[in-house]
Amino acid sequence: MNNPDKKICPSILSADFAILKEEILDVEKSGADIIHCDIMDGSFVPNISFGAKIVSDVNKITDLPLDVHLMINNPENYIEDFFKSGADFISVHYENNFHLNRVINLIKSLGIKSGVVLNPSTSVTVLDYIIEYVDFVLLMSVNPGFGGQKFIPNTLEKISELKEIIDRKNLKCRIEVDGGVGPENIKLLSDAGADMFVCGSSVFGSENRSEVIRLMKESIS
Ligand code: DX5
Ligand code: ZN
């Protein structure tokens, strides 16, 4: 029996964009819970991916919720565009936000889930005065910008630390982990307290996506 509170979120950054529709329908059929969309601007991170038009087109072909991870400067200028494109979750980074509380409130005012993202070297202590306002915290387990990187091991400790804060404050905030996640480490991440697992290359890079997703779901159930 799968644990309904734990979500597998394939990142389409690792999909073949020439056949994006087939790729998404394939992971949907294979048991994905949420589609993760990585938005990169070539400024906050050293890579460019795609924008709201693609998210809107993806929304037309799948019933799965869309999780939009903004790795862009001035995210406040684009929140409404991504909301209109069908985002169900929008997360923004702590590191490039002077007015984090304002951006989080803007996302919440649209009636969708708001999240804050921390880079690997950013401490969870920076969340002290924002955590009560967010629906989820996304912990990066690689440096943002590219799929297919190696998992940074001290993220495990960070998940436990964050879980402790959430429990101590009696919050409903969920923990998402992103980067280098696959069947070999997902159980450890889940046991430490993570609820949402972003998987790019481990899912899209596999010949048998349903088997990889089944394996991961089995080890976190
Ligand atoms: C990295 C992105 C991730 C990435 C995950 O900046 O935020 O979502 O696509 O890819 P894998 O699972 O291959 O590390
Ligand atoms: Zn991401």
Side-chain angles (χ1 to χ4, degrees), residues 17-48:
F17 278 51
I19 50 162
L20 190 53
K21 181 174 180 178
E22 287 153 55
E23 294 278 76
I24 289 169
L25 295 180
D26 188 38
V27 292
E28 180 168 350
K29 187 179 84 216
S30 300
D33 299 302
I34 291 170
I35 298 292
H36 185 83
C37 302
D38 285 306
I39 313 300
M40 303 176 177
D41 66 354
S43 170
F44 177 60
V45 290
N47 193 10
I48 298 176

PDB file of all heavy atoms in Angstrom, residues 17-48:
ATOM      1  N   PHE A  17      12.309  17.255 -24.727  1.00  0.00           N
ATOM      2  CA  PHE A  17      11.353  18.323 -25.047  1.00  0.00           C
ATOM      3  C   PHE A  17      10.734  18.183 -26.440  1.00  0.00           C
ATOM      4  O   PHE A  17       9.678  18.733 -26.702  1.00  0.00           O
ATOM      5  CB  PHE A  17      12.026  19.692 -24.907  1.00  0.00           C
ATOM      6  CG  PHE A  17      12.068  20.178 -23.483  1.00  0.00           C
ATOM      7  CD1 PHE A  17      12.562  19.361 -22.478  1.00  0.00           C
ATOM      8  CD2 PHE A  17      11.602  21.427 -23.138  1.00  0.00           C
ATOM      9  CE1 PHE A  17      12.591  19.774 -21.155  1.00  0.00           C
ATOM     10  CE2 PHE A  17      11.625  21.866 -21.815  1.00  0.00           C
ATOM     11  CZ  PHE A  17      12.127  21.045 -20.827  1.00  0.00           C
ATOM     12  N   ALA A  18      11.393  17.438 -27.300  1.00  0.00           N
ATOM     13  CA  ALA A  18      10.846  17.253 -28.652  1.00  0.00           C
ATOM     14  C   ALA A  18       9.601  16.371 -28.611  1.00  0.00           C
ATOM     15  O   ALA A  18       8.776  16.410 -29.532  1.00  0.00           O
ATOM     16  CB  ALA A  18      11.911  16.644 -29.561  1.00  0.00           C
ATOM     17  N   ILE A  19       9.478  15.595 -27.556  1.00  0.00           N
ATOM     18  CA  ILE A  19       8.300  14.723 -27.407  1.00  0.00           C
ATOM     19  C   ILE A  19       7.716  14.894 -26.002  1.00  0.00           C
ATOM     20  O   ILE A  19       7.356  13.925 -25.324  1.00  0.00           O
ATOM     21  CB  ILE A  19       8.656  13.235 -27.678  1.00  0.00           C
ATOM     22  CG1 ILE A  19       9.899  12.795 -26.879  1.00  0.00           C
ATOM     23  CG2 ILE A  19       8.841  12.970 -29.161  1.00  0.00           C
ATOM     24  CD1 ILE A  19      10.042  11.282 -26.762  1.00  0.00           C
ATOM     25  N   LEU A  20       7.625  16.133 -25.588  1.00  0.00           N
ATOM     26  CA  LEU A  20       7.246  16.430 -24.194  1.00  0.00           C
ATOM     27  C   LEU A  20       5.894  15.832 -23.795  1.00  0.00           C
ATOM     28  O   LEU A  20       5.732  15.312 -22.700  1.00  0.00           O
ATOM     29  CB  LEU A  20       7.263  17.947 -23.980  1.00  0.00           C
ATOM     30  CG  LEU A  20       7.130  18.425 -22.540  1.00  0.00           C
ATOM     31  CD1 LEU A  20       8.153  17.782 -21.622  1.00  0.00           C
ATOM     32  CD2 LEU A  20       7.237  19.954 -22.463  1.00  0.00           C
ATOM     33  N   LYS A  21       4.929  15.887 -24.711  1.00  0.00           N
ATOM     34  CA  LYS A  21       3.606  15.358 -24.393  1.00  0.00           C
ATOM     35  C   LYS A  21       3.691  13.862 -24.051  1.00  0.00           C
ATOM     36  O   LYS A  21       3.176  13.414 -23.029  1.00  0.00           O
ATOM     37  CB  LYS A  21       2.660  15.585 -25.571  1.00  0.00           C
ATOM     38  CG  LYS A  21       1.258  15.085 -25.312  1.00  0.00           C
ATOM     39  CD  LYS A  21       0.321  15.459 -26.442  1.00  0.00           C
ATOM     40  CE  LYS A  21      -1.076  14.955 -26.175  1.00  0.00           C
ATOM     41  NZ  LYS A  21      -2.000  15.346 -27.240  1.00  0.00           N
ATOM     42  N   GLU A  22       4.370  13.115 -24.917  1.00  0.00           N
ATOM     43  CA  GLU A  22       4.508  11.663 -24.660  1.00  0.00           C
ATOM     44  C   GLU A  22       5.242  11.398 -23.351  1.00  0.00           C
ATOM     45  O   GLU A  22       4.891  10.489 -22.597  1.00  0.00           O
ATOM     46  CB  GLU A  22       5.311  11.002 -25.788  1.00  0.00           C
ATOM     47  CG  GLU A  22       4.546  10.879 -27.078  1.00  0.00           C
ATOM     48  CD  GLU A  22       5.477  10.870 -28.283  1.00  0.00           C
ATOM     49  OE1 GLU A  22       6.391  10.035 -28.322  1.00  0.00           O
ATOM     50  OE2 GLU A  22       5.299  11.731 -29.172  1.00  0.00           O
ATOM     51  N   GLU A  23       6.286  12.206 -23.090  1.00  0.00           N
ATOM     52  CA  GLU A  23       7.073  12.043 -21.870  1.00  0.00           C
ATOM     53  C   GLU A  23       6.201  12.240 -20.630  1.00  0.00           C
ATOM     54  O   GLU A  23       6.261  11.463 -19.678  1.00  0.00           O
ATOM     55  CB  GLU A  23       8.217  13.062 -21.846  1.00  0.00           C
ATOM     56  CG  GLU A  23       9.270  12.870 -22.920  1.00  0.00           C
ATOM     57  CD  GLU A  23      10.285  11.811 -22.546  1.00  0.00           C
ATOM     58  OE1 GLU A  23       9.934  10.619 -22.645  1.00  0.00           O
ATOM     59  OE2 GLU A  23      11.411  12.183 -22.185  1.00  0.00           O
ATOM     60  N   ILE A  24       5.370  13.280 -20.658  1.00  0.00           N
ATOM     61  CA  ILE A  24       4.522  13.569 -19.492  1.00  0.00           C
ATOM     62  C   ILE A  24       3.453  12.500 -19.319  1.00  0.00           C
ATOM     63  O   ILE A  24       3.223  11.999 -18.214  1.00  0.00           O
ATOM     64  CB  ILE A  24       3.910  14.980 -19.610  1.00  0.00           C
ATOM     65  CG1 ILE A  24       5.033  16.007 -19.408  1.00  0.00           C
ATOM     66  CG2 ILE A  24       2.799  15.183 -18.589  1.00  0.00           C
ATOM     67  CD1 ILE A  24       4.672  17.405 -19.740  1.00  0.00           C
ATOM     68  N   LEU A  25       2.823  12.108 -20.425  1.00  0.00           N
ATOM     69  CA  LEU A  25       1.791  11.068 -20.324  1.00  0.00           C
ATOM     70  C   LEU A  25       2.408   9.756 -19.844  1.00  0.00           C
ATOM     71  O   LEU A  25       1.795   9.007 -19.088  1.00  0.00           O
ATOM     72  CB  LEU A  25       1.077  10.890 -21.660  1.00  0.00           C
ATOM     73  CG  LEU A  25       0.264  12.120 -22.112  1.00  0.00           C
ATOM     74  CD1 LEU A  25      -0.414  11.870 -23.454  1.00  0.00           C
ATOM     75  CD2 LEU A  25      -0.774  12.536 -21.067  1.00  0.00           C
ATOM     76  N   ASP A  26       3.647   9.516 -20.232  1.00  0.00           N
ATOM     77  CA  ASP A  26       4.333   8.296 -19.807  1.00  0.00           C
ATOM     78  C   ASP A  26       4.594   8.281 -18.291  1.00  0.00           C
ATOM     79  O   ASP A  26       4.323   7.280 -17.622  1.00  0.00           O
ATOM     80  CB  ASP A  26       5.662   8.150 -20.579  1.00  0.00           C
ATOM     81  CG  ASP A  26       6.330   6.810 -20.324  1.00  0.00           C
ATOM     82  OD1 ASP A  26       5.586   5.801 -20.228  1.00  0.00           O
ATOM     83  OD2 ASP A  26       7.563   6.771 -20.193  1.00  0.00           O
ATOM     84  N   VAL A  27       5.082   9.396 -17.740  1.00  0.00           N
ATOM     85  CA  VAL A  27       5.327   9.390 -16.288  1.00  0.00           C
ATOM     86  C   VAL A  27       4.009   9.431 -15.504  1.00  0.00           C
ATOM     87  O   VAL A  27       3.919   8.874 -14.414  1.00  0.00           O
ATOM     88  CB  VAL A  27       6.298  10.506 -15.804  1.00  0.00           C
ATOM     89  CG1 VAL A  27       7.700  10.256 -16.309  1.00  0.00           C
ATOM     90  CG2 VAL A  27       5.833  11.888 -16.152  1.00  0.00           C
ATOM     91  N   GLU A  28       2.994  10.049 -16.093  1.00  0.00           N
ATOM     92  CA  GLU A  28       1.677  10.064 -15.439  1.00  0.00           C
ATOM     93  C   GLU A  28       1.156   8.623 -15.319  1.00  0.00           C
ATOM     94  O   GLU A  28       0.744   8.176 -14.251  1.00  0.00           O
ATOM     95  CB  GLU A  28       0.704  10.948 -16.237  1.00  0.00           C
ATOM     96  CG  GLU A  28      -0.668  11.015 -15.615  1.00  0.00           C
ATOM     97  CD  GLU A  28      -1.579  12.102 -16.209  1.00  0.00           C
ATOM     98  OE1 GLU A  28      -1.103  12.940 -16.985  1.00  0.00           O
ATOM     99  OE2 GLU A  28      -2.773  12.080 -15.875  1.00  0.00           O
ATOM    100  N   LYS A  29       1.239   7.919 -16.425  1.00  0.00           N
ATOM    101  CA  LYS A  29       0.793   6.515 -16.467  1.00  0.00           C
ATOM    102  C   LYS A  29       1.664   5.643 -15.552  1.00  0.00           C
ATOM    103  O   LYS A  29       1.198   4.645 -14.997  1.00  0.00           O
ATOM    104  CB  LYS A  29       0.917   6.058 -17.929  1.00  0.00           C
ATOM    105  CG  LYS A  29       0.368   4.707 -18.263  1.00  0.00           C
ATOM    106  CD  LYS A  29       0.533   4.422 -19.744  1.00  0.00           C
ATOM    107  CE  LYS A  29       1.929   3.893 -19.991  1.00  0.00           C
ATOM    108  NZ  LYS A  29       2.643   4.212 -21.169  1.00  0.00           N
ATOM    109  N   SER A  30       2.899   6.055 -15.375  1.00  0.00           N
ATOM    110  CA  SER A  30       3.845   5.275 -14.564  1.00  0.00           C
ATOM    111  C   SER A  30       3.721   5.527 -13.070  1.00  0.00           C
ATOM    112  O   SER A  30       4.475   4.967 -12.281  1.00  0.00           O
ATOM    113  CB  SER A  30       5.283   5.594 -14.992  1.00  0.00           C
ATOM    114  OG  SER A  30       5.483   5.272 -16.335  1.00  0.00           O
ATOM    115  N   GLY A  31       2.817   6.426 -12.657  1.00  0.00           N
ATOM    116  CA  GLY A  31       2.561   6.603 -11.228  1.00  0.00           C
ATOM    117  C   GLY A  31       3.051   7.910 -10.621  1.00  0.00           C
ATOM    118  O   GLY A  31       3.030   8.054  -9.392  1.00  0.00           O
ATOM    119  N   ALA A  32       3.498   8.868 -11.448  1.00  0.00           N
ATOM    120  CA  ALA A  32       3.926  10.166 -10.906  1.00  0.00           C
ATOM    121  C   ALA A  32       2.748  10.841 -10.208  1.00  0.00           C
ATOM    122  O   ALA A  32       1.600  10.685 -10.621  1.00  0.00           O
ATOM    123  CB  ALA A  32       4.441  11.058 -12.034  1.00  0.00           C
ATOM    124  N   ASP A  33       3.047  11.602  -9.135  1.00  0.00           N
ATOM    125  CA  ASP A  33       1.983  12.278  -8.389  1.00  0.00           C
ATOM    126  C   ASP A  33       1.851  13.747  -8.760  1.00  0.00           C
ATOM    127  O   ASP A  33       0.766  14.319  -8.713  1.00  0.00           O
ATOM    128  CB  ASP A  33       2.270  12.204  -6.880  1.00  0.00           C
ATOM    129  CG  ASP A  33       2.324  10.776  -6.386  1.00  0.00           C
ATOM    130  OD1 ASP A  33       1.326  10.063  -6.564  1.00  0.00           O
ATOM    131  OD2 ASP A  33       3.374  10.366  -5.841  1.00  0.00           O
ATOM    132  N   ILE A  34       2.988  14.359  -9.083  1.00  0.00           N
ATOM    133  CA  ILE A  34       3.050  15.806  -9.332  1.00  0.00           C
ATOM    134  C   ILE A  34       4.095  16.019 -10.421  1.00  0.00           C
ATOM    135  O   ILE A  34       5.099  15.305 -10.469  1.00  0.00           O
ATOM    136  CB  ILE A  34       3.489  16.538  -8.026  1.00  0.00           C
ATOM    137  CG1 ILE A  34       2.388  16.464  -6.950  1.00  0.00           C
ATOM    138  CG2 ILE A  34       3.889  17.986  -8.296  1.00  0.00           C
ATOM    139  CD1 ILE A  34       2.801  16.941  -5.564  1.00  0.00           C
ATOM    140  N   ILE A  35       3.858  17.004 -11.302  1.00  0.00           N
ATOM    141  CA  ILE A  35       4.873  17.336 -12.318  1.00  0.00           C
ATOM    142  C   ILE A  35       5.651  18.567 -11.849  1.00  0.00           C
ATOM    143  O   ILE A  35       5.056  19.611 -11.569  1.00  0.00           O
ATOM    144  CB  ILE A  35       4.225  17.611 -13.700  1.00  0.00           C
ATOM    145  CG1 ILE A  35       3.483  16.376 -14.234  1.00  0.00           C
ATOM    146  CG2 ILE A  35       5.268  18.104 -14.706  1.00  0.00           C
ATOM    147  CD1 ILE A  35       4.358  15.198 -14.611  1.00  0.00           C
ATOM    148  N   HIS A  36       6.967  18.412 -11.734  1.00  0.00           N
ATOM    149  CA  HIS A  36       7.846  19.496 -11.269  1.00  0.00           C
ATOM    150  C   HIS A  36       8.389  20.265 -12.473  1.00  0.00           C
ATOM    151  O   HIS A  36       8.943  19.669 -13.396  1.00  0.00           O
ATOM    152  CB  HIS A  36       8.985  18.884 -10.452  1.00  0.00           C
ATOM    153  CG  HIS A  36       9.906  19.858  -9.795  1.00  0.00           C
ATOM    154  ND1 HIS A  36       9.634  20.463  -8.587  1.00  0.00           N
ATOM    155  CD2 HIS A  36      11.121  20.325 -10.170  1.00  0.00           C
ATOM    156  CE1 HIS A  36      10.641  21.248  -8.251  1.00  0.00           C
ATOM    157  NE2 HIS A  36      11.564  21.189  -9.197  1.00  0.00           N
ATOM    158  N   CYS A  37       8.215  21.585 -12.470  1.00  0.00           N
ATOM    159  CA  CYS A  37       8.665  22.426 -13.588  1.00  0.00           C
ATOM    160  C   CYS A  37       9.762  23.365 -13.104  1.00  0.00           C
ATOM    161  O   CYS A  37       9.520  24.214 -12.231  1.00  0.00           O
ATOM    162  CB  CYS A  37       7.490  23.258 -14.114  1.00  0.00           C
ATOM    163  SG  CYS A  37       6.078  22.275 -14.661  1.00  0.00           S
ATOM    164  N   ASP A  38      10.963  23.207 -13.650  1.00  0.00           N
ATOM    165  CA  ASP A  38      12.122  24.004 -13.243  1.00  0.00           C
ATOM    166  C   ASP A  38      12.278  25.209 -14.154  1.00  0.00           C
ATOM    167  O   ASP A  38      12.607  25.067 -15.333  1.00  0.00           O
ATOM    168  CB  ASP A  38      13.389  23.139 -13.317  1.00  0.00           C
ATOM    169  CG  ASP A  38      13.459  22.166 -12.165  1.00  0.00           C
ATOM    170  OD1 ASP A  38      13.361  22.622 -11.011  1.00  0.00           O
ATOM    171  OD2 ASP A  38      13.601  20.950 -12.412  1.00  0.00           O
ATOM    172  N   ILE A  39      12.081  26.391 -13.596  1.00  0.00           N
ATOM    173  CA  ILE A  39      12.151  27.623 -14.392  1.00  0.00           C
ATOM    174  C   ILE A  39      13.473  28.330 -14.096  1.00  0.00           C
ATOM    175  O   ILE A  39      13.734  28.741 -12.954  1.00  0.00           O
ATOM    176  CB  ILE A  39      10.961  28.559 -14.040  1.00  0.00           C
ATOM    177  CG1 ILE A  39       9.624  27.789 -14.018  1.00  0.00           C
ATOM    178  CG2 ILE A  39      10.923  29.741 -14.995  1.00  0.00           C
ATOM    179  CD1 ILE A  39       9.227  27.110 -15.308  1.00  0.00           C
ATOM    180  N   MET A  40      14.310  28.462 -15.120  1.00  0.00           N
ATOM    181  CA  MET A  40      15.660  29.034 -14.943  1.00  0.00           C
ATOM    182  C   MET A  40      15.869  30.197 -15.903  1.00  0.00           C
ATOM    183  O   MET A  40      15.473  30.115 -17.073  1.00  0.00           O
ATOM    184  CB  MET A  40      16.699  27.953 -15.241  1.00  0.00           C
ATOM    185  CG  MET A  40      16.545  26.708 -14.399  1.00  0.00           C
ATOM    186  SD  MET A  40      17.736  25.468 -14.897  1.00  0.00           S
ATOM    187  CE  MET A  40      17.391  24.191 -13.690  1.00  0.00           C
ATOM    188  N   ASP A  41      16.534  31.248 -15.386  1.00  0.00           N
ATOM    189  CA  ASP A  41      16.645  32.486 -16.173  1.00  0.00           C
ATOM    190  C   ASP A  41      18.044  32.808 -16.688  1.00  0.00           C
ATOM    191  O   ASP A  41      18.259  33.862 -17.292  1.00  0.00           O
ATOM    192  CB  ASP A  41      16.127  33.671 -15.347  1.00  0.00           C
ATOM    193  CG  ASP A  41      16.999  33.958 -14.109  1.00  0.00           C
ATOM    194  OD1 ASP A  41      17.925  33.180 -13.823  1.00  0.00           O
ATOM    195  OD2 ASP A  41      16.738  34.971 -13.435  1.00  0.00           O
ATOM    196  N   GLY A  42      19.023  31.955 -16.425  1.00  0.00           N
ATOM    197  CA  GLY A  42      20.382  32.255 -16.886  1.00  0.00           C
ATOM    198  C   GLY A  42      21.028  33.394 -16.118  1.00  0.00           C
ATOM    199  O   GLY A  42      22.087  33.890 -16.520  1.00  0.00           O
ATOM    200  N   SER A  43      20.398  33.823 -15.022  1.00  0.00           N
ATOM    201  CA  SER A  43      20.941  34.923 -14.226  1.00  0.00           C
ATOM    202  C   SER A  43      21.071  34.481 -12.767  1.00  0.00           C
ATOM    203  O   SER A  43      22.164  34.447 -12.214  1.00  0.00           O
ATOM    204  CB  SER A  43      20.013  36.131 -14.363  1.00  0.00           C
ATOM    205  OG  SER A  43      20.360  37.135 -13.464  1.00  0.00           O
ATOM    206  N   PHE A  44      19.962  34.079 -12.172  1.00  0.00           N
ATOM    207  CA  PHE A  44      20.050  33.532 -10.804  1.00  0.00           C
ATOM    208  C   PHE A  44      20.777  32.190 -10.822  1.00  0.00           C
ATOM    209  O   PHE A  44      21.523  31.851  -9.903  1.00  0.00           O
ATOM    210  CB  PHE A  44      18.646  33.371 -10.204  1.00  0.00           C
ATOM    211  CG  PHE A  44      18.662  32.737  -8.836  1.00  0.00           C
ATOM    212  CD1 PHE A  44      19.335  33.325  -7.790  1.00  0.00           C
ATOM    213  CD2 PHE A  44      18.020  31.526  -8.607  1.00  0.00           C
ATOM    214  CE1 PHE A  44      19.378  32.737  -6.528  1.00  0.00           C
ATOM    215  CE2 PHE A  44      18.045  30.927  -7.355  1.00  0.00           C
ATOM    216  CZ  PHE A  44      18.730  31.538  -6.317  1.00  0.00           C
ATOM    217  N   VAL A  45      20.550  31.423 -11.881  1.00  0.00           N
ATOM    218  CA  VAL A  45      21.280  30.156 -12.079  1.00  0.00           C
ATOM    219  C   VAL A  45      21.897  30.172 -13.486  1.00  0.00           C
ATOM    220  O   VAL A  45      21.374  30.841 -14.376  1.00  0.00           O
ATOM    221  CB  VAL A  45      20.357  28.911 -11.920  1.00  0.00           C
ATOM    222  CG1 VAL A  45      19.936  28.721 -10.479  1.00  0.00           C
ATOM    223  CG2 VAL A  45      19.139  28.991 -12.828  1.00  0.00           C
ATOM    224  N   PRO A  46      22.997  29.426 -13.673  1.00  0.00           N
ATOM    225  CA  PRO A  46      23.708  29.510 -14.963  1.00  0.00           C
ATOM    226  C   PRO A  46      23.111  28.635 -16.059  1.00  0.00           C
ATOM    227  O   PRO A  46      23.827  27.950 -16.763  1.00  0.00           O
ATOM    228  CB  PRO A  46      25.113  29.030 -14.588  1.00  0.00           C
ATOM    229  CG  PRO A  46      24.895  28.104 -13.445  1.00  0.00           C
ATOM    230  CD  PRO A  46      23.682  28.575 -12.705  1.00  0.00           C
ATOM    231  N   ASN A  47      21.800  28.664 -16.194  1.00  0.00           N
ATOM    232  CA  ASN A  47      21.164  27.858 -17.234  1.00  0.00           C
ATOM    233  C   ASN A  47      19.810  28.488 -17.541  1.00  0.00           C
ATOM    234  O   ASN A  47      19.230  29.164 -16.683  1.00  0.00           O
ATOM    235  CB  ASN A  47      20.983  26.411 -16.723  1.00  0.00           C
ATOM    236  CG  ASN A  47      20.623  25.433 -17.815  1.00  0.00           C
ATOM    237  OD1 ASN A  47      20.679  25.750 -19.010  1.00  0.00           O
ATOM    238  ND2 ASN A  47      20.236  24.232 -17.426  1.00  0.00           N
ATOM    239  N   ILE A  48      19.312  28.260 -18.739  1.00  0.00           N
ATOM    240  CA  ILE A  48      17.992  28.771 -19.137  1.00  0.00           C
ATOM    241  C   ILE A  48      17.123  27.557 -19.448  1.00  0.00           C
ATOM    242  O   ILE A  48      17.580  26.638 -20.144  1.00  0.00           O
ATOM    243  CB  ILE A  48      18.107  29.679 -20.382  1.00  0.00           C
ATOM    244  CG1 ILE A  48      18.993  30.901 -20.064  1.00  0.00           C
ATOM    245  CG2 ILE A  48      16.731  30.117 -20.870  1.00  0.00           C
ATOM    246  CD1 ILE A  48      19.240  31.814 -21.251  1.00  0.00           C
TER     247      ILE A  48
END
